[in-house]
Amino acid sequence: MNKQEKIERIKELTALLNYHSRKYYTEDSPEISDYEYDMLSRELVSLEEEIPEARQPDSPTHRVGGEVLKGFSQVTHTVPLESLQDAFSFDEIRAFDNRVKQAFPNAEYVVELKIDGLSVALEYENGLFIRGATRGDGTVGEDITANLRTVKSIPLSLPEGCPSRLIVRGEVYMPKKTFAKLNETREDNGESLFANPRNAAAGSLRQLDSKVTASRMLDIIVFNLQSVEGAEFSTHAETLDFIKKMGFPVSPYYTVFNNIEDVISEISRLGEMRSSYAFDIDGAVVKVNSLAMRSELGSTAKAPKWAVAFKYPPEEKETMLEDIQINVGRTGVLTPLAKLTPVLLAGSTVARATLHNKMFIAEKDIRIGDIVKVRKAGDIIPEIVSVVKEKRNEGTVEFRMPEVCPVCGSKVVSDEDTPMVRCINSECPAQLTRSIIHFVSRDAMDIEGFGEQNVERFVNEGLITSAADLYKLDYGVISQMEGFGAVSADNLRNAVEKSKNANLDRVIYALGIRQVGQKTGSILAARFGTMKSFSEASEEELTAIDEIGPVTAHYICEFFANPHNISLIEGLGSAGVNMTYRSDKVSDIFAGMTFVLTGTLESFTRDEASAMITKRGGKVSSSVSKKTTYVLAGSEAGSKLTKAQTLGVNIINEEEFLGMVGGDA
């Protein structure tokens, strides 16, 4: 293909992938396989890398994240994002109905699920997603556009015939299965757990590194039309139909009723189905359907008078704690698990619950043989709420953490800085399996074909005793194993070979050093350049890096003091795994400079301009201050341009910026 044909192909692929994303994430009716989607996506990435200026504003490649912010700028909402008055009984729902019917005897209501997540506003101009913000105090929120772009169910562009301007409100949430998996990983790593999906979603959306947000697999339900230009509606139900037509996911249930007893029956029905939803809910919302009636009813200082949220009480059951067992995680953390007398809770039978750590057990005075109250965090993860002390019988047994690892028999030690107890044997079989699962994961070495089951199988059959063994596999033997064949074995070989070219930051993250995540891995790789220099760094050298604290520095040095880990790194290097950081930096012409981008740029996107700056040693900030070196202003620049003028910051246009970049643009 010539250049023009490639540009047309980029446009075609962008539209095609957005279409299939909508079919998959919004309409739940995929038309192609995941593999076919991935192949189209890879083709688009390749073409965009070749011709970056042809990248479309709504390209799905925006969703992978990568923009790192120093903070979030403020956004004043065009339409306030009000909160709702709560009701905890059906009598309160009837009282709400009486107040509405005094003004409008024929009022109808729409009943929807109340998703337990983080409320956001999404703004579109001429069909393109331009900004997303948190609710904040209802009047002013935070600009989290870069993070919201990573939520795959949020359309980056709207279909033909869309309004010229549109603002919708939705609830970003973490699916229950994602929440369970995330907490499982955090527990294995000895990290604090998220209390519930809402807590996890809020923490994920407010990450300064959008790659972290992208990895959390968030989703959204859009529930309100805040503002629209070029369309008119008379009822809330009509707006929901319209929002759905525009490609937004909406509540799977929204029904119109004219009788409050039918509303109450629907609230009860939705509550009984709580366990079947992919997301966590904390209630049902009742809204007046007529938009004209809403306008007449108005709002109090805090909430609209035309809506009310019925809050479901959390379901709790009593059962006996029969025993406490120990699970050993990837970093050697010993996690106590409660074995319970099976009890039906929130739609499923619960027989186990996490007890987190020894401090959790001590604070709640949990003993073997106790009657305990159990509920599900996020309607999915069983947890012990409390001990029913009045039902405690004689003969209950106080729990003590073991002094040796239950898997390998090695000595265990208590962390000085956390309530964790861990096995110090790095060759412990339990740690080996989980560490290799981490090593091959997508964010680490990204070795396709090595799911958890295959890792466990290869470890159990003695094919892998360390991550370095991944590069010594006998594919002839593998091709003869049940479930494999010549093609599968060859695909696995190719994936393993490909991983050898991973950049050093991925290799560092894959090692599984405590408190060294993806971002820290990137910082360390860029700072030290080679695995050898990194492995020989002292705690003083490490703590001299702004982002590295003394605890992390200690863990890094502790890791490299272990001969087993040094042997692992030597094995990886001998196998041909890359041990050098490949920087995309092209010069230092912007070293020490901070840029702020504002307005619409014609020659390149903001992402491309940001990349041009950082590759030349500069920094990009989201807000203007006296420390800002330059403001790069495009057309329709707003408040940032005004502030720059007030502060006397240098303002440049695209032509001047390209002149500064020079011949290496």
Side-chain angles (χ1 to χ4, degrees):
M1 288 189 290
N2 59 36
K3 183 174 181 179
Q4 187 56 43
E5 288 173 333
K6 289 177 180 178
I7 292 173
E8 292 303 316
R9 181 57 176 166
I10 287 174
K11 294 178 181 178
E12 179 186 358
L13 286 169
T14 298
L16 189 60
L17 286 165
N18 283 334
Y19 169 80
H20 286 300
S21 289
R22 176 178 174 180
K23 299 298 289 186
Y24 183 91
Y25 291 103
T26 305
E27 300 178 15
D28 196 24
S29 57
E31 296 180 355
I32 61 175
S33 67
D34 289 351
Y35 177 79
E36 290 173 297
Y37 184 92
D38 289 343
M39 291 302 101
L40 292 173
S41 183
R42 286 188 179 186
E43 182 185 355
L44 178 59
V45 169
S46 177
L47 288 171
E48 287 181 342
E49 288 177 349
E50 186 178 346
I51 315 176
E53 66 272 17
R55 188 185 192 192
Q56 300 298 294
D58 59 336
S59 170
T61 59
H62 281 296
R63 298 193 184 279
V64 299
E67 184 172 344
V68 180
L69 307 174
K70 287 188 175 180
F72 299 108
S73 59
Q74 290 189 330
V75 174
T76 300
H77 296 298
T78 304
V79 178
L81 273 62
E82 297 177 303
S83 58
L84 293 171
Q85 57 178 310
D86 294 332
F88 298 92
S89 70
F90 291 144
D91 283 342
E92 291 179 79
I93 295 295
R94 294 185 181 99
F96 164 75
D97 174 60
N98 288 334
R99 291 193 296 271
V100 171
K101 292 293 177 67
Q102 285 177 6
F104 299 104
N106 298 322
E108 294 179 330
Y109 301 107
V110 176
V111 182
E112 304 168 42
L113 296 172
K114 186 176 185 298
I115 316 299
D116 197 12
L118 191 74
S119 195
V120 299
L122 310 175
E123 297 184 44
Y124 291 78
E125 284 186 1
N126 300 318
L128 293 177
F129 176 49
I130 61 164
R131 182 165 44 247
T134 62
R135 177 181 177 273
D137 62 5
T139 301
V140 178
E142 293 177 315
D143 188 333
I144 54 169
T145 307
N147 290 346
L148 287 170
R149 284 184 179 276
T150 72
V151 180
K152 294 184 178 179
S153 49
I154 294 178
L156 300 180
S157 60
L158 303 180
E160 289 187 15
C162 65
S164 58
R165 183 168 175 78
L166 176 71
I167 304 176
V168 296
R169 180 178 177 182
E171 198 82 1
V172 174
Y173 65 90
M174 179 174 286
K176 293 178 183 178
K177 289 183 179 179
T178 304
F179 171 66
K181 184 68 175 176
L182 176 62
N183 261 357
E184 180 184 327
T185 300
R186 292 178 72 85
E187 193 158 65
D188 282 345
N189 294 341
E191 298 174 302
S192 61
L193 304 185
F194 287 113
N196 51 56
R198 188 199 180 282
N199 175 269
S204 301
L205 264 189
R206 298 196 75 258
Q207 293 286 329
L208 294 179
D209 186 348
S210 58
K211 281 188 177 179
V212 177
T213 308
S215 72
R216 299 284 174 82
M217 304 300 289
L218 300 176
D219 212 328
I220 191 171
I221 293 289
V222 175
F223 59 82
N224 202 62
L225 180 63
Q226 296 291 100
S227 174
V228 63
E229 294 179 7
E232 293 184 2
F233 305 95
S234 60
T235 69
H236 177 60
E238 288 177 3
T239 67
L240 290 178
D241 292 340
F242 169 75
I243 289 170
K244 187 175 182 180
K245 183 180 178 182
M246 288 293 102
F248 297 97
V250 300
S251 173
Y253 307 100
Y254 57 94
T255 311
V256 180
F257 301 94
N258 55 25
N259 182 293
I260 199 61
E261 295 307 318
D262 291 336
V263 167
I264 290 172
S265 295
E266 178 69 357
I267 292 172
S268 299
R269 185 185 76 85
L270 295 177
E272 291 170 359
M273 297 169 60
R274 285 176 72 175
S275 62
S276 67
Y277 306 137
F279 41 78
D280 193 18
I281 66 168
D282 61 351
V285 183
V286 182
K287 302 175 182 177
V288 171
N289 191 29
S290 167
L291 300 183
M293 291 181 187
R294 286 189 185 189
S295 180
E296 288 291 325
L297 289 167
S299 302
T300 66
K302 294 183 178 180
K305 296 179 180 179
W306 43 263
V308 65
F310 180 85
K311 305 299 283 287
Y312 296 118
E315 184 181 3
E316 296 182 356
K317 293 282 184 72
E318 292 184 7
T319 188
M320 178 179 282
L321 193 158
E322 298 178 352
D323 196 9
I324 296 179
Q325 301 170 336
I326 298 294
N327 178 61
V328 183
R330 175 176 66 83
T331 59
V333 173
L334 274 61
T335 304
L337 299 172
K339 181 183 177 185
L340 307 169
T341 300
V343 60
L344 186 64
L345 182 66
S348 64
T349 300
V350 171
R352 295 180 183 276
T354 181
L355 294 170
H356 305 302
N357 53 58
K358 61 182 181 180
M359 186 178 292
F360 180 88
I361 295 173
E363 287 176 348
K364 293 186 180 292
D365 188 21
I366 297 171
R367 304 180 187 180
I368 297 172
D370 271 336
I371 300 299
V372 295
K373 287 186 177 180
V374 186
R375 69 183 176 197
K376 286 186 177 180
D379 280 348
I380 188 166
I381 298 179
E383 64 177 2
I384 291 177
V385 180
S386 62
V387 174
V388 186
K389 295 285 182 68
E390 60 271 21
K391 294 185 179 181
R392 174 173 282 170
N393 298 314
E394 291 185 11
T396 57
V397 179
E398 291 189 27
F399 175 73
R400 294 285 183 271
M401 289 294 288
E403 295 181 358
V404 298
C405 173
V407 176
C408 70
S410 297
K411 181 183 176 181
V412 299
V413 297
S414 296
D415 282 358
E416 293 181 3
D417 53 331
T418 75
M420 303 296 180
V421 174
R422 67 181 69 240
C423 169
I424 59 175
N425 176 17
S426 59
E427 297 184 10
C428 174
Q431 295 183 56
L432 172 63
T433 298
R434 292 182 179 275
S435 67
I436 293 177
I437 289 171
H438 170 75
F439 187 89
V440 303
S441 64
R442 178 177 297 179
D443 293 329
M445 300 301 282
D446 192 20
I447 303 179
E448 295 182 20
F450 258 121
E452 291 188 17
Q453 289 184 340
N454 278 342
V455 171
E456 290 174 0
R457 181 179 179 186
F458 280 35
V459 170
N460 292 337
E461 296 189 16
L463 297 175
I464 300 174
T465 58
S466 79
D469 289 341
L470 292 165
Y471 300 94
K472 304 175 186 176
L473 292 171
D474 186 332
Y475 295 99
V477 172
I478 293 172
S479 66
Q480 301 302 313
M481 293 170 60
E482 183 178 351
F484 280 89
V487 174
S488 298
D490 198 46
N491 288 340
L492 191 60
R493 184 209 309 269
N494 292 336
V496 170
E497 286 297 312
K498 179 183 175 184
S499 74
K500 291 180 180 180
N501 294 318
N503 209 350
L504 180 62
D505 57 332
R506 281 181 170 265
V507 181
I508 290 174
Y509 173 62
L511 293 176
I513 304 170
R514 291 173 65 188
Q515 293 200 5
V516 176
Q518 292 172 264
K519 182 178 179 181
T520 305
S522 296
I523 292 168
L524 292 166
R527 166 63 179 79
F528 293 103
T530 67
M531 182 66 78
K532 186 176 187 300
S533 295
F534 172 47
S535 66
E536 295 174 350
S538 65
E539 289 193 30
E540 290 75 17
E541 288 178 287
L542 291 164
T543 53
I545 303 170
D546 289 341
E547 296 86 348
I548 307 297
V551 174
T552 302
H554 173 73
Y555 288 151
I556 292 170
C557 291
E558 184 181 64
F559 179 88
F560 288 117
N562 187 322
H564 172 77
N565 294 330
I566 296 299
S567 176
L568 166 63
I569 291 166
E570 289 174 350
L572 293 173
S574 298
V577 174
N578 172 57
M579 294 289 169
T580 303
Y581 182 60
R582 298 186 295 268
S583 174
D584 58 1
K585 196 171 182 181
V586 297
S587 73
D588 288 311
I589 61 171
F590 292 152
M593 299 183 186
T594 301
F595 289 73
V596 172
L597 313 181
T598 184
T600 303
L601 303 174
E602 300 295 334
S603 304
F604 33 74
T605 66
R606 287 196 192 184
D607 285 347
E608 289 163 356
S610 297
M612 293 166 71
I613 292 165
T614 55
K615 286 180 180 180
R616 291 158 180 82
K619 295 183 179 179
V620 180
S621 175
S622 60
S623 57
V624 179
S625 72
K626 290 182 179 179
K627 294 182 179 180
T628 304
T629 312
Y630 293 103
V631 168
L632 171 55
S635 60
E636 300 178 13
S639 58
K640 292 179 183 178
L641 177 60
T642 303
K643 187 172 182 180
Q645 292 168 336
T646 302
L647 295 175
V649 174
N650 290 317
I651 300 167
I652 57 175
N653 58 30
E654 290 178 61
E655 185 177 351
E656 291 169 319
F657 174 70
L658 287 172
M660 294 168 66
V661 171
D664 62 349

